Amino acid sequence: MLRLLCTTILCVIHVFTLISNAKGQEFTELEMAHYREKIKSMFYHAYNSYLDHAYPYDELRPLTCDGQDTWGSVSLTLIDALDTLLILGNHTEFQRVATLLQDTVDFDIDVNASVFETNIRVVGGLLSAHLLSKRAGMEVEPGWPCSGPLLRMAEDAARKLLPAFQTPTGMPYGTVNLLRGVNPTETPVTCTAGVGTFILEFSALSRLTGDPVFEDVARKALRSLWKTRSEIGLVGNHIDVLSKKWVAQDAGIGAGVDSYFEYLVKGSIMLQDEELLSMFLEYDKAIKNYTKFDDWYLWVQMHKGTVSMPVFQSLEAFWPGLQSLIGELDSALRTFHNYYTVWRQFGGLPEFYSIPQGYTVDKREGYPLRPELIESAMYLYKATGDHTFLQLGRDAVESIEKITRVPCGYASVKDIRDHKLDNRMESFFLAETIKYLYLLFDPDNFLHNSGLDFELGTGPSEDCVLGAGGYIFNTEAHPLDPAALHCCSRKQEERRELQDILLNLSEPLASPQDTQSQETDSETEPPVMDPSESIALKPGSRRKAPLLSCPMQPFSARLAVMGQVFTDGT
């Protein structure tokens, strides 16, 4: 096996050289515009096919031109595609769909839903649409972005997920009934990503609405998961959320684990949270020590570090983009080029690819139109300006068009070897794959804003700067504006400051003797006021420390120094 692995690596190095030498193939602005229009055409072919044949079902079945419910019977593709409409410049349709969703979607339904998928697709999609609604020309209510109908929908959906977190460990069940809560017979076994992929959406909800419960449960789950890592610093693939016992002990960066690591990095940036970053950096050391082999990442036994699966999974292709966010650009480029060779071999990424054999893995030959390699290309093009990444975008557009386009949309590929198709178009095709492709060829899109363009909040937050850049994409490619979280957190902080003023006003004037006594005891504990005497606090209440906030600094500027995520004073 080692000989086969080395031979494969030598071939990859050869192809890497060929690809690197292709840097001279520059794309003109005319070519960039051509691909933008082509990607728009792809979007509308898929989107209109969904509206014509599948709405109000969750997903389109493109081979039979009908629809099916998959993740909760909530018109999922429409929610997932909403912010993509705005990114493509279609304000009118964004407004129509946002209003339609408010009128038709109800989360009080007797449906078993994936906690993970509902969070990233539904909660994430509604949060993003809420934060982009003013840019889309919608009339926003006083107090936006700290209030609004789409935000209330996101909060309603997230509350349906909270019963899943009521476990002894704080780690959530994988499935919850939206009407009845967790089924008593529900399995306690959940994948790692299903535990650790909530901090972006749930902390955004808490800071926008002022209700800390969402961020609290997400943090508790993260900290509980952190404590279960092995003696060599790795986590497995599936865990029992009641006992904290690892059921599947394969450690890697792919399926079942991927977005956990992604959210530690993105959460640390969006929230300016050093705890999350330090967690990831510790994991990163163990990943490099035990799973990395010549810029490939293998699967290993979490306790011993011995190789269990020498495969590359298509879901791992997000990793180079994530590496670019923490300044590890050289490693990101080498790993990306490894993955790009696989794409060029098949015209897409198979779900599993055997690194020693240089070919697909049996029963894992499908390509469901995943976005991860395109996502990494977008990040790396932003970081380097290298047109090699545009070539991947061009390859993806032409491959998807040639292989997967059918009269009623785009079909997943059942077998990447012979390009047989499957009767499914997942909602992430419109939410992620199309979006990242378009952003790759549209460097002037508002989401790439460097801080020169911005808008002001309304109502009590009218002096808040919003939309100035630094958008954080959740794992379903829904962009979140950290400035809005700061804006609403600041409003809550102002309320606390007013509360403190009222507290001080309610305190009796100190006598000279009291003052002298306070000076004498200043190095001991401060005097505690009886809350019942306060005109601002209810009995038993305590003053809360101010929430962390996200600075008004563009995302690109924060990461301009290699590896330096945090700014001074945070």
Side-chain angles (χ1 to χ4, degrees), residues 84 110 173 183 216 222 285-286 367 378 418 435 476 507:
T84 308
D110 189 4
Y173 285 97
N183 190 308
D216 287 348
L222 280 177
K285 290 178 186 176
Y367 167 56
M378 184 201 73
D418 57 17
K435 184 183 294 165
E476 190 77 3
E507 291 177 0

Side-chain angles (χ1 to χ4, degrees), residues 13 76 85 140 144 261 369 382-383 410 432 449 468 489 500 557:
I13 292 172
L76 181 62
L85 284 165
V140 296
W144 180 89
F261 297 137
L369 303 173
K382 286 177 64 177
Y410 293 87
E432 299 185 77
N449 185 12
S489 296
D500 286 344

Side-chain angles (χ1 to χ4, degrees), residues 232-234 281-292:
I232 60 173
L234 296 172
L281 293 178
E282 283 299 309
Y283 280 130
D284 197 34
K285 290 178 186 176
I287 288 167
K288 289 173 181 173
N289 285 339
Y290 296 101
T291 77
K292 188 177 181 182

Side-chain angles (χ1 to χ4, degrees), residues 88-119:
L88 298 181
N90 194 337
H91 293 198
T92 304
E93 183 66 2
F94 180 99
Q95 294 171 24
R96 185 190 77 83
V97 173
T99 303
L100 177 66
L101 290 172
Q102 294 170 44
D103 294 338
T104 59
V105 173
D106 182 5
F107 298 114
D108 287 320
I109 50 177
D110 189 4
V111 169
N112 293 323
S114 163
V115 180
F116 169 83
E117 298 289 354
T118 303
N119 177 56

Side-chain angles (χ1 to χ4, degrees), residues 308-371:
S308 58
M309 291 190 296
V311 300
F312 156 61
Q313 298 179 352
S314 62
L315 284 169
E316 297 172 15
F318 83 101
W319 190 257
L322 192 70
Q323 286 182 302
S324 74
L325 296 183
I326 60 171
E328 295 185 356
L329 204 53
D330 289 341
S331 178
L333 293 172
R334 292 193 298 270
T335 297
F336 178 89
H337 283 293
N338 281 354
Y339 298 167
Y340 189 11
T341 61
V342 180
W343 179 287
R344 290 166 69 92
Q345 184 178 352
F346 297 102
L349 291 183
E351 291 287 70
F352 281 35
Y353 178 84
S354 171
I355 298 171
Q357 296 175 355
Y359 207 62
T360 61
V361 174
D362 188 38
K363 298 182 181 180
R364 294 291 188 274
E365 304 93 349
Y367 167 56
L369 303 173
R370 291 200 187 278

